[in-house]
Amino acid sequence: MPDEKPVLLRVRGVGRRYAGVTALAGIDADVRGGEVLAIVGENGAGKSTLLKILSGVVQPSDGSLEVADASGALRAVELDGVRGATKAGIALVHQELNLAENLDVAGSIYLGREPSRLGWMDTRRMRREARRWLDLVGLDVDPSTPCGSLPIAQRQLVEIAKALSTESRILILDEPTSSLTHREADRLLEIMSALRARGVAVVFVSHHLDEVMRIADRVVVLRDGRKTGELARGEYDRAMVERLMVGRDIAPSMRRAANGAAPVRLRVEGLVSAHRRRAPMSFEVRAGEIVGLAGLVGAGRTEALEAIAGVSPHGGRVLVDGLEVTGGSSVRVRRGIAIVPEDRARNGLFLEDAVSVNMSLAWVDRSSRARLVDRRGERGLVARMIDRMQLRPPHPARRVQTLSGGNQQKSVIGRWLAIDPAVLLLDEPTRGVDVGARAEIHAEVRRLADAGSAVVFASSELEEVLLLADRILVMHEGTVAGELAAHEASEVAIMHLATGGSAAHGAKEHA
Amino acid sequence: MKKALGIIGIFAAIFIVACIFGENFLTGINLMQLTQRAALYSILALGASLVIVTGGIDLSIGSVVCLAGIMTPWLLVEHEWAPAQVIPTVLLMSAFIGLCHGLLVTRLRLQPFLVTLCGLLLYRGIARWMTGDQTQGFMGEFGEVRAIALTKFAIPGIENYRIPSTVIPMIVLAVLIGLFFSRTVWGRWLLATGRNESAARYSGVPTAWLVTMSYVACSLLAGFGGMLFIFDIGSAQPSDFGNFYELYAIAAAVLGGCSLRGGEISVIGVVVGAATLQVLRNTIILVGLSSQLEFAVIGAVLLVGVAADELIRRFNARRLERTGAAASA
Amino acid sequence: MKKALGIIGIFAAIFIVACIFGENFLTGINLMQLTQRAALYSILALGASLVIVTGGIDLSIGSVVCLAGIMTPWLLVEHEWAPAQVIPTVLLMSAFIGLCHGLLVTRLRLQPFLVTLCGLLLYRGIARWMTGDQTQGFMGEFGEVRAIALTKFAIPGIENYRIPSTVIPMIVLAVLIGLFFSRTVWGRWLLATGRNESAARYSGVPTAWLVTMSYVACSLLAGFGGMLFIFDIGSAQPSDFGNFYELYAIAAAVLGGCSLRGGEISVIGVVVGAATLQVLRNTIILVGLSSQLEFAVIGAVLLVGVAADELIRRFNARRLERTGAAASA
Amino acid sequence: AGDLVQAQKDRIAAYKAKPKAKSHVAFVSNGVADFWTIAKAGAIAAGKELGCDVTVEFPGGGLGDQKRMLEDLLIKGIDGISVSPIDPTNQAEVLAMVAEKSLLITNDSDAPNAPRLCYIGMDNYDAGLMCGKLAREGCKGGKVAIFIGRLEQDNAKRRRQGFIDGLLGRTPDPTRYDEPSKVFTEAGYTIVGTWTDSFDRAKAKANIEDVMIKHPDLALMTGLFEYNSTLAVEVIRQTGKEGKVQLAAFDEGADVIAGIKEGFVLGTVVQDPYGYGFESVKVLNAFTKGDMSMVPASGVINIPARVIRKDNAESFWKDLKAKLKAGKEAGAKK
Ligand SMILES: Nc1ncnc2c1ncn2[C@@H]1O[C@H](COP(=O)(O)OP(=O)(O)OP(=O)(O)O)[C@@H](O)[C@H]1O
Ligand SMILES: Nc1ncnc2c1ncn2[C@@H]1O[C@H](COP(=O)(O)OP(=O)(O)OP(=O)(O)O)[C@@H](O)[C@H]1O
Ligand SMILES: [Mg+2]
Ligand SMILES: [Mg+2]
C-alpha cells in the first residue's frame, strides 16, 4: 500500500518569489521512501525552483520543509545551503552542468566529500571508489581523466554518479536524461528502480512523458508555479498529464514529405574534424530537407556539426549553394550557416544579458544599415520572436540567466530563426524543452525548411529523429555508417547502424 | 546609465565636501584646471575600458603614454621633424603597439595581463634608451602645436572659467564610444564577446578581429593621451613619466561600472570615474591635508565609496523583491 | 609539473646566456646573492599565486611589503619594542589586512582588483603618514634579529657559496603549498572554487571561507616577505619601498603557469618564475648592458619566452594529433 | 669604520709599489636625472683623458636598486666606486662592503660616518642657503611655498633647511630642522608649506597649480629639484603670473634659464655635476696609482655651487650645452 511508505520529506505551502515574478506558490507535497516521484510541467512552471528548494540551494520565500529524522518523525528544518541538505541526506543533480573542469572525474565525484584523514586526501581510495559509481552508471572512462575533456553526455553521467555516490536517502534529479541517449537513459531508469527497492526516495523531472509513465509511482504536475494535480500510478494516462500541464490537448506533430528534386544547398565533402577522426564523411542536403544525425554518445555528431559551422578546424570541403565556404564561423554565418550548439550555457547564451540582446544578436548584423543597429526594428523583432517562440515570461528585458532551462533553449533557437539561415545546424535542439514547446520548435524548423533552408540536426532521442527528419544519417565512430529514409527508418534499424552493423543489413532487417 | 549612478554619487559627495572644506575650490581657474586634468585622464580611461570590456586588461597604458609623450618632443626638437609628421608617426606607432598586443592575445592566446606587463616594461625601456634618460621638452618653443592641449575657450558671459581644448577630444571620444556600443553592430558584438567569447564565436562574431581592434584603440588613445599630457606639462622624463597611469585609468573604468570579467561598460561612468580621482587629489591639497596622506585618503575614500554603493544597491534589490512579491500576490 | 616546463625552459636559456656572456656570473657570491633575491621574491609570488588560483588578484602586495617592512624598524627603533613583540604584531597586522580584503571580496562581492587597488594606495599612504616620509632603518643595530634574513649556512666541501637563510622559509612554504594543493582536501576545494565557484558551492565546499583564507595567506606572506626584505636591505623609504613588487609577484606566478582565470597552479613554476626575473636583472648588469635598457630587456625576453613556449606547445600538440591519427588509422 | 679606512689606505699604499696599469672605476648616482647625465659626461671624459675604464650606473628604483647595483658592480670586480648614497645613515653595511672589497668615495651627498676616503661635491645646506639669500634679495616678504620631489633624501632635507635659513636671515646652522607640515611666520615671511610628488611630474605641476589657487597672494616659490623649478616656470607662464609670483630656482632647467633671461625668475643655484663626475674618476684613478695627494685633510673636495642671474645666464647656458653634447656622445658610445 502506498500509504505505508514512510514520508521522508514534507513540503508545506512552499513558495518562492523573485523581483517581479512568483516562481512557485503554495506547493504541498510528500516525498516517500521507496517511491519515485515525478514532477512535470511546462518550461518555467517552477520545477527546478522546487527541486532547488528541496535541496537547500534556494531558500523558500514562504512555507516550510519537514525532514524525517532517524526514528521517522518529521521535523521542520531550514536547509541553508548544500551542506545542510547533505546532512539531511538529500542529493541533487542540477539541470545545468556544474563541474569544475580542472578536476579529474574521481575528484569531481567526491568534491566536498573526499575520503581523507585530518584533511589529508586519500587519492587512491577515491579513484577506486569512483570506479564503482562510474560502472554503475555505465561510464567507461578512467577516473583520473580531467572533466574538461569529456563531452557533455559523459559529464552528465559524472554528475549522476556523483549524486549516487552520496548514498542519500533522498535523490533529486533535474532532467537527468535530457542529454543522454536511449541506452544510458534506460540504464538510469533501472538504477532508479533499484534505489526505490532499497527504500530511497527519488524525485525527478523529465519532459519525456514515456519515462514518467514507465517509472513514476506518483506524478506532481505544476503549472505557472502552482500545483495543478497529484496523481498516483494507475490513476492517469499520458493525455491527462498533458492536459494538466498545458491546460489543453497537444496536437501530435506530423511527418512531412520533402521535395526530392530541390537543389542541393549544403554539400559536405570528405569532412574530417581535427580531433583524430578516422574516416572522412560526405553528404548533401537539399533545400527544404531536414536531415537527422543519429548515433551513440561520442559518435561524432557534435564534432561534425561544429566543423561545418566553422567553430572547430577540419579537413575537407563545405559548400553552400555550390560555392565552397572556408574560414571561421563569422564568415560562415554571413554565408548563411548557423548553429545551435549542444552546450547552450557555454556556447550559446550570454547569461548576464537580456533576452532581447540574446535574440537579436544575429539579426542586428543582417538588418544593419552602415553598421548601425536599427533599434526600432530590433524591438519589433524581439517582440515577434518572443511571441513566436512562446517564451515565458515574455519580457525582453529579463536576464536570460533567470529563465528556466527550456526557455533559455528557445532564446538560442530564436536567434537563428530570426534571420532565416540558408543552412541551420541544430545540436540537440529540444534538450530540456517541454512537450508543447517541442512541437512548436519542430513546427518552426519545418516552416524554415519549407521556406527553402537546409536543416541538419543531431539528437540523442530516436523518437525525435524519427519524428522530425526527412532523412536520417546514422553515425558511428566519426563517420556516416548508413543512411535511412524517414519512411524506412525504425529504432531497431538505427541502433543497428549506430552500433556498427552494415547499412544493407540494417535496411534489410527492417524491411 | 544605471551602472554609472554609483560613481556619480561618489563624485557628488566628494564635490560637496570639496566645496565646503576646500579653500578656493569653486573658483573658475581651479575648475578649469580640474577640467583639463579630468579630460586627460578620461581619454586614457576610455581606452582602458575598451579593453576591459573584452575581458582583457592593458597594463601598458602608462608606458605607452611615456613612449608617445617622450617621442613627441624628441622628434620635434632633437630630430627637427615637422609637427605634421610627428603627430601621425606617434599615433601610428601607438596603434602598432596595440596591434601587437591584440595579435599576441588573440592569435597566440597569451594572457593579456602577461603581454601588457611585458609591454609596460618594454616601452618605458625603449623610451629611456632612445633618449638616453634625458628629459625631453619643447624648450619653450612649439607654442602653436602645444596649443592643441593648452588653448582655453572663453564662454560668453562667464568670466574666469574658460573651457580647456582637451575637453573637445574627450567629449568627441566619449560620444563616439557611447554610440559605438549602443548603436553599432560592432559595439554589440564587442559586448557579446566580452560576456561569452565562445558563444559569440558560435554566433558568427569575428571575435579575434574585434578584440585585436580593442587593443589597437586602447593603445592609440594612450598614445594620443600621452601626447596631450606632454603638450600640457611641457617636459617629461622617460624614467617616471606616466608611471602608474594605467592603474588610474583602470581604476576609473572599474569605478565607472566596467566589470573586469568583461561585457559591461558605461561611458559616462568611466568619465566620471576619471574626474572623481582628479577632484579627490585636488581636494586633498585644497583642504590642506599633508601630501603624505594623499594616497591613504584616495584609497580609503574609494573603498568606502564602492562599499557604500554596493550596500545601497543590495538594499534596493531586497526592497524590490519584497515589493515585487506584494504586487504579484 | 608539466605547466612549469615552459618557465623552466626560459630559465635555463637565460641561465646559459648568463654563464656565457656574464662576467663572473658563475661565482659563489653572485649565486649566493641571487639565491637570496630569488627566495625573497618567491615568497611574495607564492602568496600572489594563492589568490590567483581563486581567480582573484592582489595588487596590494607591494604596499603590504612596504607597510610591514617599514613598521618593523619603526617599532623596533622609534618605539623601542622588543623583537618578540614586533614580529607577531607585524604578521598579525598583515593577516588582518588580508582578512579585510577577503571579506570585502566574498561578502560584499566587490571586485578583487578594485579592493586591492585601494589597498595599494591605502597601506603605502599609511606607511608614509606614520613615519612622516622618513626613511626607516635599523641604525646598524638589531643584528641578531636581522640574522633571520642575513645568516648564510656553509655547505661542507663547498667554498664561496653558502646557503642564505631565507631559502629555508621559501622551501618550507613551497613544499607546504605544493602538498596543500596535491594532497589536502582544502587544496582540492580551492582549485575547484577557482575554476567553477558555483560547482564548488553546490558540492558543499565553503567557498567564501576558502577565498577569504587565500587573501589572508597572501597578505600574510607579503608581510612576512616585507619583513625579510627590510632585514636584508637594512632601511627603506615609505614612498618607494616595495613599489611594483606586486607586478613582479604576479608576473612570476603567471609565468609559472597560474592562469588569471583561476583554478591552476604550479608551485615549482612560481618559484622558477620568481628566480627567472632575478637572474635576468642580474644578467643585464653582468653582461654590461646599460641599466637604461634593463626594463626593455626584461620585457622583451619575457615576451619572446612565453611566445616561444606557446608555439612549442602548439607544435607538439599538432604532432601528437598527427601521430595519434596515424596510429589509429 | 676607522679600520676599513685604514685598510683602504693600506691597499692604496700597496698600489704605490705596483700601480694598476688600467684601472676600472664606477660612478653610481642616487637616481635618474639630467643632472646625472651631465655627471656621467664628466666621468667619461675623465676616463678618456686618464685612460681608465669607467662604468656609470643610475639606480631607478630607490635604495634596494642602489644596493643591488653596488653588489653587482663588486661582483664584476671594480677598483673604486664613487657613490651618491641615497640614505647614508641607513646604508652603512652596503657602504662598508664597498670599502671592504674596493675603494669608496662619495659624491653629491656625503656619508661622513661611512668608511669613505673622501667626499666630492658641495654642501647642500650651503647651496640651499645661497638659494634662500637669492630669494631674500628679490622678495621682501609674504607667503612662501616650497616644492621638492621628495624629502626622504638627506640632501633634500639639507637643501630645504638651508633655503629656509637663508630666506629668513637666520644664522646658519645645518642641524636645525623645521617640520615640513608646520606653517609659520618669521621675519615677514610666511612659510605656507612644503609639497612633494614622488617624482610624478603631472602631480608636481598639479601641486604648484593647486597651491597657487589656495594662496592667490603667494609671493614667492622655490622648486628645490630641477623639475620642480621647471614646472613652476611653466605654471607661471600658463597662468600669466610673470612677475607677480617670484621664483628662486634650483638647477639648470632650460625653461628656468629662459625665465631668468626674460627677467621673471630671480635666479637659480646650480651645482657642477660635470665636476663631480670628472673629479670622482680622477681621484679614484689616482688611488690605483698609489696617489692620495688630492685628498685634503678635511676629506672634502669642495666643488661649490654657483648662482646664475640675468647677467651670467647666457654664458652659463652655452657652456652647459657643450657639456651635455659631450655627455650624450659618450652615452651613445657606451
Ligand atoms: N534567479 C531568478 N531570478 C528571477 N526569476 C527566476 C530566477 N530563477 C528562476 N526564475 C523564474 O522562475 C520561474 C520558474 O523557473 P524554473 O527554472 O523553476 O522552471 P522549470 O520548471 O524548471 O522550467 P524548465 O522545464 O524550462 O527547466 C521562471 O519563470 C523563471 O524565469
Ligand atoms: N576537443 C576535443 N579534444 C579531443 N577529443 C574530443 C574533443 N571533442 C570531442 N572529442 C572526442 O570526440 C568524440 C566525439 O564527440 P562528440 O561530442 O562529437 O560526440 P556526439 O556524437 O556529439 O555525442 P554526444 O551525444 O556526446 O553529443 C568523443 O569521444 C570526444 O571525447
Ligand atoms: Mg528546469
Ligand atoms: Mg553531441
Side-chain angles (χ1 to χ4, degrees):
Chain A
M1 282 284 104
D3 291 16
E4 284 165 345
K5 292 193 178 136
V7 176
L8 294 184
L9 178 64
R10 174 164 288 168
V11 181
R12 283 289 165 264
V14 158
R16 168 76 208 194
R17 289 182 298 263
Y18 291 105
V21 231
T22 303
L24 212 57
I27 304 293
D28 293 315
D30 286 344
V31 176
R32 294 167 194 271
E35 207 182 68
V36 174
L37 172 65
I39 308 216
V40 297
E42 283 183 293
N43 292 134
K47 305 180 294 295
S48 298
T49 308
L50 178 60
L51 298 200
K52 282 182 190 158
I53 288 174
L54 296 187
S55 54
V57 174
V58 162
Q59 268 55 56
S61 313
D62 30 45
S64 63
L65 295 181
E66 292 167 24
V67 177
D69 61 15
S71 65
L74 286 170
R75 204 161 287 186
V77 288
E78 288 218 5
L79 298 175
D80 49 347
V82 180
R83 293 223 132 190
T86 311
K87 221 175 282 157
I90 302 170
L92 170 71
V93 174
H94 285 265
Q95 181 173 6
E96 302 299 330
L97 288 173
N98 266 299
L99 290 175
E101 288 160 2
N102 53 346
L103 299 189
D104 58 12
V105 168
S108 296
I109 290 177
Y110 282 100
L111 181 59
R113 306 171 291 113
E114 290 84 351
S116 64
R117 191 176 302 147
L118 299 172
W120 212 249
M121 202 161 54
D122 186 347
T123 313
R124 192 118 37 89
R125 197 173 112 213
M126 190 166 82
R127 297 218 165 123
R128 202 170 54 233
E129 293 184 2
R131 186 68 268 164
R132 212 173 99 220
W133 301 109
L134 291 174
D135 287 342
L136 182 63
V137 297
L139 181 56
D140 182 28
V141 299
D142 188 347
S144 60
T145 325
C147 284
S149 68
L150 296 181
I152 189 163
Q154 298 191 345
R155 286 190 217 183
Q156 178 74 34
L157 290 176
V158 172
E159 294 238 34
I160 293 168
K162 174 177 177 159
L164 293 177
S165 73
T166 59
E167 305 192 67
S168 307
R169 290 188 301 165
I170 303 169
L171 180 64
I172 303 180
L173 306 153
D174 197 352
E175 304 199 23
T177 56
S178 68
S179 47
L180 302 183
T181 55
H182 241 59
R183 215 192 256 188
E184 290 130 348
D186 279 348
R187 182 162 201 148
L188 182 61
L189 295 187
E190 273 162 34
I191 295 171
M192 282 161 64
S193 347
L195 290 173
R196 167 169 60 190
R198 292 221 313 266
V200 173
V202 179
V203 183
F204 88 114
V205 168
S206 175
H207 289 297
H208 300 299
L209 289 182
D210 49 340
E211 285 172 7
V212 174
M213 296 294 140
R214 255 168 70 193
I215 193 161
D217 297 303
R218 266 181 318 127
V219 178
V220 166
V221 186
L222 299 184
R223 171 141 52 104
D224 293 336
R226 280 161 215 284
K227 190 160 115 179
T228 52
E230 176 164 351
L231 306 163
R233 181 177 263 295
E235 289 176 7
Y236 59 87
D237 60 18
R238 194 176 169 131
M240 195 169 153
V241 172
E242 284 182 2
R243 212 173 312 120
L244 280 173
M245 272 168 61
V246 197
R248 62 187 157 83
D249 287 313
I250 296 170
S253 62
M254 307 232 288
R255 280 241 175 93
R256 62 194 269 282
N259 178 1
V264 172
R265 290 219 87 168
L266 171 71
R267 184 200 294 278
V268 173
E269 287 176 1
L271 188 80
V272 236
S273 85
H275 303 298
R276 322 162 227 168
R277 304 279 22 144
R278 293 169 198 177
M281 68 189 283
S282 304
F283 62 89
E284 53 187 44
V285 185
R286 293 174 183 280
E289 200 178 21
I290 302 176
V291 169
L293 294 181
L296 301 180
V297 169
R301 294 161 296 173
T302 298
E303 270 188 67
L305 293 180
E306 291 187 344
I308 296 170
V311 285
S312 62
H314 66 85
R317 291 168 14 115
V318 174
L319 299 90
V320 174
D321 294 330
L323 295 174
E324 180 166 5
V325 287
T326 51
S329 55
S330 61
V331 185
R332 298 193 187 196
V333 165
R334 299 208 133 200
R335 293 287 303 277
I337 305 184
I339 182 168
V340 173
E342 180 174 41
D343 189 341
R344 62 172 170 251
R346 199 151 40 137
N347 300 326
L349 291 168
F350 305 94
L351 286 169
E352 294 97 347
D353 280 323
V355 168
S356 57
V357 171
N358 274 276
M359 277 208 165
S360 66
L361 189 72
W363 182 86
V364 290
D365 180 33
R366 285 296 167 89
S367 65
S368 72
R369 208 172 294 152
R371 306 269 77 194
L372 290 180
V373 175
D374 169 9
R375 297 221 289 186
R376 172 122 30 99
E378 183 188 2
R379 271 194 295 276
L381 170 100
V382 170
R384 271 200 312 284
M385 289 315 295
I386 286 179
D387 187 47
R388 224 169 112 188
M389 300 310 297
Q390 303 274 310
L391 205 71
R392 236 154 291 170
H395 305 313
R398 212 163 214 285
R399 282 193 303 152
V400 164
Q401 202 168 32
T402 69
L403 292 185
S404 73
N407 284 300
Q408 293 182 357
Q409 181 72 15
K410 291 184 204 167
S411 47
V412 184
I413 297 181
R415 180 186 305 159
W416 293 123
L417 291 183
I419 62 164
D420 294 331
V423 176
L424 180 62
L425 310 170
L426 300 134
D427 202 350
E428 312 286 354
T430 57
R431 145 158 330 145
V433 170
D434 68 45
V435 263
R438 175 178 321 206
E440 283 152 18
I441 288 176
H442 286 179
E444 288 290 344
V445 169
R446 290 203 181 94
R447 205 171 300 153
L448 185 73
D450 288 339
S453 299
V455 177
V456 183
F457 75 98
S459 174
S460 301
E461 286 169 49
L462 288 181
E463 202 185 327
E464 179 171 40
V465 174
L466 289 169
L467 204 62
L468 185 61
D470 304 324
R471 190 152 57 88
I472 298 163
L473 299 176
V474 185
M475 292 191 65
H476 176 63
E477 305 215 324
T479 190
V480 179
E483 182 180 326
L484 300 164
H487 61 270
E488 64 179 15
S490 70
E491 297 200 2
V492 179
I494 292 175
M495 286 317 285
H496 179 81
L497 285 170
T499 49
S502 76
H505 186 198
K508 211 177 294 159
E509 194 176 82
H510 178 73
Chain B
M1 189 63 207
K2 225 165 122 197
K3 262 172 279 166
L5 279 183
I7 186 67
I8 291 175
I10 297 175
F11 179 81
I14 294 171
F15 201 89
I16 291 168
V17 169
C19 290
I20 300 175
F21 298 104
E23 271 179 88
N24 300 334
F25 177 77
L26 270 188
T27 55
I29 182 153
N30 190 44
L31 294 179
M32 190 163 91
Q33 285 170 357
L34 274 180
T35 321
Q36 172 87 328
R37 292 180 210 158
L40 289 174
Y41 283 97
S42 288
I43 291 172
L44 304 187
L46 285 170
S49 69
L50 288 176
V51 163
I52 291 175
V53 95
T54 71
I57 198 160
D58 190 346
L59 295 178
S60 74
I61 292 174
S63 293
V64 174
V65 164
C66 172
L67 184 56
I70 291 291
M71 265 181 88
T72 308
W74 186 69
L75 290 177
L76 283 171
V77 177
E78 302 238 328
H79 292 259
E80 300 181 355
W81 288 28
Q85 297 172 295
V86 172
I87 296 179
T89 308
V90 170
L91 292 180
L92 265 179
M93 178 208 65
S94 309
F96 178 74
I97 286 176
L99 186 67
C100 294
H101 293 168
L103 292 178
L104 286 169
V105 168
T106 57
R107 299 294 161 191
L108 271 192
R109 310 214 138 266
L110 299 179
Q111 297 194 48
F113 192 94
L114 205 54
V115 169
T116 58
L117 179 62
C118 289
L120 177 152
L121 299 167
L122 187 56
Y123 311 133
R124 183 173 302 282
I126 292 175
R128 291 183 60 178
W129 164 77
M130 219 169 64
T131 58
D133 261 339
Q134 298 274 343
T135 301
Q136 300 298 311
F138 295 98
M139 303 293 182
E141 295 176 56
F142 297 101
E144 71 290 3
V145 187
R146 294 185 58 194
I148 296 175
L150 289 177
T151 311
K152 310 274 189 302
F153 299 105
I155 317 173
I158 297 183
E159 262 182 66
N160 286 323
Y161 184 82
R162 284 165 304 147
I163 300 180
S165 55
T166 47
V167 167
I168 300 171
M170 188 272 273
I171 291 184
V172 169
L173 282 167
V175 169
L176 281 181
I177 294 176
L179 288 177
F180 175 76
F181 281 108
S182 65
R183 291 290 154 82
T184 72
V185 174
W186 294 307
R188 286 295 178 85
W189 279 354
L190 197 56
L191 285 171
T193 305
R195 274 278 198 240
N196 186 343
E197 211 255 25
S198 151
R201 205 156 44 84
Y202 274 76
S203 307
V205 174
T207 53
W209 184 81
L210 281 168
V211 171
T212 307
M213 284 304 122
S214 305
Y215 281 91
V216 171
C218 177
S219 293
L220 187 61
L221 289 189
F224 179 56
M227 226 153 65
L228 293 183
F229 264 107
I230 193 110
F231 286 153
D232 181 44
I233 300 177
S235 67
Q237 201 177 38
S239 69
D240 60 28
F241 181 47
N243 245 339
F244 271 119
Y245 285 13
E246 60 279 350
L247 289 188
Y248 284 120
I250 298 170
V254 174
L255 282 173
C258 296
S259 158
L260 287 166
R261 274 179 302 259
E264 274 172 50
I265 193 173
S266 154
V267 172
I268 296 178
V270 172
V271 172
V272 177
T276 303
L277 290 171
Q278 296 313 311
V279 173
L280 196 50
R281 290 171 99 179
N282 177 258
T283 307
I284 289 167
I285 292 199
L286 294 194
V287 168
L289 291 175
S290 124
S291 73
Q292 289 158 9
L293 268 178
E294 178 184 322
F295 276 165
V297 173
I298 296 184
V301 169
L302 292 188
L303 204 54
V304 171
V306 291
D309 174 37
E310 177 63 27
L311 287 175
I312 292 172
R313 217 176 279 258
R314 270 195 204 186
F315 178 77
N316 280 346
R318 206 162 304 158
R319 216 185 38 184
L320 209 75
E321 215 159 81
R322 242 182 292 126
T323 54
S328 66
Chain C
M1 189 62 207
K2 226 165 122 197
K3 261 172 281 167
L5 278 183
I7 186 65
I8 291 175
I10 297 174
F11 179 80
I14 294 172
F15 201 90
I16 291 168
V17 169
C19 291
I20 300 174
F21 299 103
E23 267 178 272
N24 300 333
F25 177 78
L26 271 187
T27 54
I29 181 154
N30 190 43
L31 294 180
M32 191 162 91
Q33 284 172 358
L34 274 179
T35 320
Q36 172 88 332
R37 294 180 206 159
L40 289 174
Y41 283 97
S42 290
I43 291 173
L44 303 187
L46 285 171
S49 69
L50 288 176
V51 164
I52 291 174
V53 95
T54 70
I57 197 159
D58 190 345
L59 295 178
S60 74
I61 293 174
S63 293
V64 174
V65 163
C66 172
L67 184 56
I70 290 291
M71 265 182 88
T72 308
W74 186 69
L75 290 177
L76 284 171
V77 177
E78 301 237 330
H79 294 258
E80 300 183 353
W81 288 27
Q85 297 172 294
V86 173
I87 296 179
T89 307
V90 171
L91 291 181
L92 265 179
M93 178 208 63
S94 310
F96 177 74
I97 286 175
L99 187 65
C100 295
H101 294 169
L103 292 178
L104 286 170
V105 168
T106 57
R107 299 294 161 192
L108 271 193
R109 310 214 141 267
L110 299 180
Q111 296 195 46
F113 193 94
L114 205 54
V115 169
T116 57
L117 179 63
C118 290
L120 177 152
L121 298 167
L122 188 57
Y123 312 134
R124 183 174 302 280
I126 292 175
R128 292 183 60 180
W129 164 76
M130 218 168 65
T131 59
D133 260 340
Q134 299 282 333
T135 302
Q136 299 298 311
F138 296 98
M139 304 294 181
E141 293 176 56
F142 297 101
E144 71 290 2
V145 187
R146 295 185 56 193
I148 294 175
L150 290 176
T151 312
K152 309 276 189 300
F153 300 104
I155 316 172
I158 297 184
E159 262 182 68
N160 286 324
Y161 184 83
R162 284 164 303 147
I163 299 179
S165 54
T166 48
V167 167
I168 301 172
M170 187 272 272
I171 291 184
V172 169
L173 282 168
V175 169
L176 281 183
I177 294 175
L179 288 178
F180 176 75
F181 282 108
S182 64
R183 291 293 153 79
T184 73
V185 173
W186 301 295
R188 189 47 83 103
W189 289 355
L190 200 53
L191 284 174
T193 305
R195 177 48 81 85
N196 189 338
E197 208 259 14
S198 64
R201 204 150 30 82
Y202 290 154
S203 302
V205 171
T207 53
W209 184 81
L210 281 169
V211 172
T212 307
M213 283 303 122
S214 302
Y215 281 92
V216 170
C218 177
S219 294
L220 187 60
L221 288 188
F224 179 57
M227 224 153 67
L228 294 182
F229 265 107
I230 192 110
F231 287 153
D232 181 43
I233 301 178
S235 68
Q237 284 160 358
S239 71
D240 64 24
F241 181 45
N243 246 340
F244 272 117
Y245 284 15
E246 60 279 349
L247 289 186
Y248 283 120
I250 298 171
V254 174
L255 282 172
C258 296
S259 158
L260 287 167
R261 274 179 301 258
E264 273 171 50
I265 193 174
S266 154
V267 172
I268 296 177
V270 172
V271 171
V272 177
T276 303
L277 289 171
Q278 296 312 312
V279 172
L280 196 50
R281 293 173 92 178
N282 177 257
T283 307
I284 289 167
I285 292 201
L286 294 193
V287 167
L289 290 176
S290 125
S291 70
Q292 290 159 7
L293 270 177
E294 177 184 322
F295 275 167
V297 173
I298 296 183
V301 169
L302 291 187
L303 204 54
V304 170
V306 291
D309 173 38
E310 178 62 29
L311 287 174
I312 292 173
R313 216 178 279 258
R314 273 195 201 186
F315 178 77
N316 280 345
R318 207 163 302 161
R319 214 185 41 185
L320 208 76
E321 223 159 69
R322 236 182 296 126
T323 54
S328 65
Chain D
D3 300 348
L4 278 173
V5 171
Q6 195 50 50
Q8 291 180 83
K9 284 186 175 156
D10 293 347
R11 257 180 283 147
I12 293 173
Y15 278 132
K16 195 161 211 160
K18 199 171 149 233
K20 194 115 183 173
K22 185 162 184 155
S23 55
H24 186 178
V25 302
F27 184 89
V28 178
S29 75
N30 66 7
V32 187
D34 278 3
F35 181 85
W36 291 118
T37 319
I38 301 170
K40 180 176 178 178
I44 289 181
K48 210 183 283 168
E49 187 177 314
L50 302 167
C52 65
D53 289 331
V54 178
T55 300
V56 182
E57 294 286 12
F58 297 162
L63 275 170
D65 226 14
Q66 194 175 52
K67 179 182 186 232
R68 188 171 58 82
M69 285 181 165
L70 290 172
E71 283 176 2
D72 286 331
L73 283 171
L74 290 176
I75 286 175
K76 228 173 152 171
I78 213 95
D79 299 315
I81 296 183
S82 171
V83 57
S84 171
I86 296 174
D87 179 29
T89 46
N90 282 302
Q91 277 180 306
E93 289 99 351
V94 68
L95 295 177
M97 193 172 78
V98 174
E100 197 182 309
K101 304 233 167 75
S102 185
L103 301 171
L104 172 71
I105 64 175
T106 52
N107 69 70
D108 184 46
S109 39
D110 197 3
N113 298 322
R116 52 109 174 116
L117 290 167
C118 69
Y119 164 65
I120 295 172
M122 52 144 211
D123 192 340
N124 269 292
Y125 181 80
D126 291 342
L129 214 54
M130 282 165 124
C131 188
K133 285 183 180 145
L134 176 74
R136 190 180 170 84
E137 282 166 30
C139 168
K140 294 301 171 207
K143 287 188 176 176
V144 181
I146 301 170
F147 299 98
I148 190 160
R150 53 184 193 192
L151 270 178
E152 296 87 321
Q153 286 152 230
D154 198 53
N155 63 351
K157 280 182 215 145
R158 290 173 65 90
R159 192 180 290 180
R160 174 177 166 277
Q161 194 57 46
F163 172 80
I164 293 173
D165 292 356
L167 176 73
L168 304 181
R170 297 162 167 172
T171 42
D173 174 12
T175 60
R176 205 183 277 129
Y177 185 60
D178 290 305
E179 275 297 325
S181 52
K182 196 172 74 184
V183 176
F184 63 97
T185 305
E186 194 176 317
Y189 297 93
T190 303
I191 310 277
V192 294
T194 304
W195 283 269
T196 62
D197 51 60
S198 304
F199 298 140
D200 180 348
R201 277 156 195 266
K203 179 73 206 329
K205 184 175 179 232
N207 277 345
I208 300 168
E209 287 171 344
D210 290 339
V211 170
M212 282 171 66
I213 302 272
K214 187 172 162 116
H215 302 288
D217 52 346
L218 194 70
L220 175 76
M221 314 193 268
T222 186
L224 291 181
F225 282 7
E226 185 261 346
Y227 66 90
N228 297 118
S229 288
T230 304
L231 290 169
V233 172
E234 189 68 36
V235 173
I236 289 176
R237 279 189 201 278
Q238 279 180 25
T239 53
K241 290 231 177 178
E242 286 102 327
K244 296 196 193 94
V245 181
Q246 300 300 329
L247 173 66
F250 224 97
D251 290 335
E252 55 285 291
D255 289 342
V256 172
I257 304 294
I260 294 174
K261 284 195 240 164
E262 278 178 52
F264 67 88
V265 178
L266 295 173
T268 187
V269 175
V270 298
Q271 310 175 58
D272 183 7
Y274 190 88
Y276 298 176
F278 197 94
E279 286 300 313
S280 289
V281 171
K282 201 162 142 195
V283 168
L284 287 173
N285 186 56
F287 286 173
T288 65
K289 308 281 187 269
D291 175 8
M292 275 201 68
S293 61
M294 295 168 76
V295 180
S298 67
V300 175
I301 299 175
N302 194 23
I303 298 181
R306 284 202 290 158
V307 177
I308 305 297
R309 292 194 175 82
K310 202 166 181 174
D311 48 78
N312 56 356
E314 187 62 46
S315 61
F316 167 79
W317 185 240
K318 275 200 186 125
D319 179 32
L320 182 74
K321 269 190 153 168
K323 281 176 177 167
L324 257 174
K325 198 156 160 251
K328 215 170 291 164
E329 275 160 15
K333 225 165 282 159
K334 207 192 150 186

